[in-house]
Amino acid sequence: MILDLDIGNTLSKWRLKDSASSEIRSRGAVWTREEWRPGADIPDLDIVDTVRISSVARRSVLAQTEQLLKDRVRAVHVARSSREALGVTNGYVEPERLGVDRWMGALAGYQLAGGSCTVDCGSAITIDFVLPGGRHLGGYILPGLRLMKESLKLGTRNVAIDPDSEADELLAPGRRTVEAVNHGIYMAAVSAVNRIYSEVCDREGVALPMLVTGGDARVVSRGIRVPHAIWPDMVYAGLEACFPLTAAERAGRMAGAPVPPKPVALEKIRAGLAFSMLL
């Protein structure tokens, strides 16, 4: 079995993948912590042969995790942000400082679509662009929905946005404080994603497919005005591409990969951007 770990600052996700069939056997998530407990936090390591890790947590968390795993499994692969990988050139001045989860997403998006805008809706919302030739432009980081709510300190942070809410409802003025907060932060998030996408596509002269992942992907996607696909396993797919272990992975098939969305014409993106600037 293969254990894939996506360790975030707040939440750590894992999945167990069959080495022979490439099927996902189970998955879960726990709060990120210094000490891991096999069987409680992560699956029983007795059935795991290889582990792949993407981590943006503190160095001590990664070091402790690596030590635990190296004592129990045959091989541990840790993803690192690099200057170049899989045909993609990192756009950061200091490539190693790019969050590895963003790097995994950028690599996965490029393998799937040959150039993309990847949006990760987690504790922070990150937006990265890779052009069809493989040049990563860099990206944007803004507070996620929960961080924006907590920053207001109005005692409403524990009232989550209903992921089944329609975008039109979430964009309407709130009639209670909790609604005003939820609708305000939602408007800020989706407006930023929509505007950033249009601005970058306009500047670079290319319409890119958009791929969305992260815990709040489902609700944020309802307000995105361009064609896009939700890809929950996008970071895992980057691990698969960097460290292919199964026959399917070596053939380039990434688990859970969506059909790349066909972007609207660049002329339509530019027309919408020009109209918004007139308002």
Side-chain angles (χ1 to χ4, degrees):
M1 289 287 183
I2 302 165
L3 175 63
D4 289 324
L5 290 175
D6 175 10
I7 304 175
N9 288 308
T10 305
L11 195 67
S12 295
K13 295 173 286 185
W14 61 265
R15 72 175 190 184
L16 204 58
K17 188 173 189 181
D18 192 293
S19 303
S21 67
S22 209
E23 294 180 6
I24 307 303
R25 296 299 187 185
S26 60
R27 61 175 74 229
V30 295
W31 299 114
T32 298
R33 62 196 68 192
E34 294 286 350
E35 297 185 5
W36 294 81
R37 298 166 296 176
D41 296 341
I42 54 180
D44 185 353
L45 295 176
D46 290 341
I47 63 172
V48 174
D49 178 66
T50 307
V51 181
R52 299 180 290 205
I53 303 174
S54 167
S55 175
V56 295
R58 296 181 301 277
R59 291 183 181 180
S60 59
V61 173
L62 178 58
Q64 194 275 338
T65 304
E66 284 188 82
Q67 187 59 52
L68 165 69
L69 295 170
K70 287 179 178 178
D71 291 341
R72 302 286 297 275
V73 302
R74 181 180 62 83
V76 177
H77 302 287
V78 180
R80 314 279 185 188
S81 296
S82 57
R83 186 169 298 280
E84 188 278 334
L86 304 175
V88 179
T89 303
N90 195 319
Y92 260 35
V93 176
E94 298 178 87
E96 68 281 359
R97 289 188 173 274
L98 174 67
V100 70
D101 54 346
R102 293 170 58 194
W103 185 232
M104 292 297 100
L107 295 178
Y110 187 69
Q111 305 314 301
L112 181 70
S116 64
C117 169
T118 51
V119 182
D120 193 332
C121 305
S123 298
I125 295 175
T126 64
I127 309 169
D128 282 89
F129 293 86
V130 177
L131 297 181
R135 181 165 65 94
H136 172 241
L137 299 178
Y140 301 81
I141 302 175
L142 55 145
L145 301 182
R146 289 169 179 79
L147 281 179
M148 280 194 269
K149 185 179 293 189
E150 289 175 9
S151 72
L152 293 175
K153 301 185 184 302
L154 293 176
T156 61
R157 65 182 180 182
N158 292 324
V159 184
I161 296 175
D162 183 355
D164 293 322
S165 299
E166 294 297 332
D168 289 345
E169 174 188 339
L170 289 171
L171 295 174
R175 300 177 64 185
R176 294 182 298 151
T177 297
V178 67
E179 289 179 353
V181 170
N182 283 345
H183 296 192
I185 63 176
Y186 186 75
M187 174 74 84
V190 300
S191 297
V193 173
N194 288 323
R195 183 61 179 265
I196 287 169
Y197 175 83
S198 297
E199 290 277 3
V200 173
C201 287
D202 175 45
R203 186 173 63 246
E204 298 298 328
V206 60
L208 296 169
M210 181 185 290
L211 302 165
V212 186
T213 194
D216 288 324
R218 184 178 167 198
V219 63
V220 171
S221 74
R222 290 175 176 266
I224 296 176
R225 301 304 186 192
V226 298
H228 60 280
I230 297 178
W231 191 1
D233 282 5
M234 188 161 66
V235 173
Y236 291 141
L239 288 173
E240 291 174 341
C242 289
F243 310 108
L245 299 174
T246 71
E249 291 171 357
R250 288 190 288 271
R253 295 195 295 275
M254 296 175 286
V259 175
K262 184 177 180 181
V264 299
L266 180 60
E267 291 74 18
K268 187 172 182 179
I269 293 173
R270 284 173 166 165
L273 181 61
F275 178 75
S276 68
M277 295 175 70
L278 289 174
L279 298 179

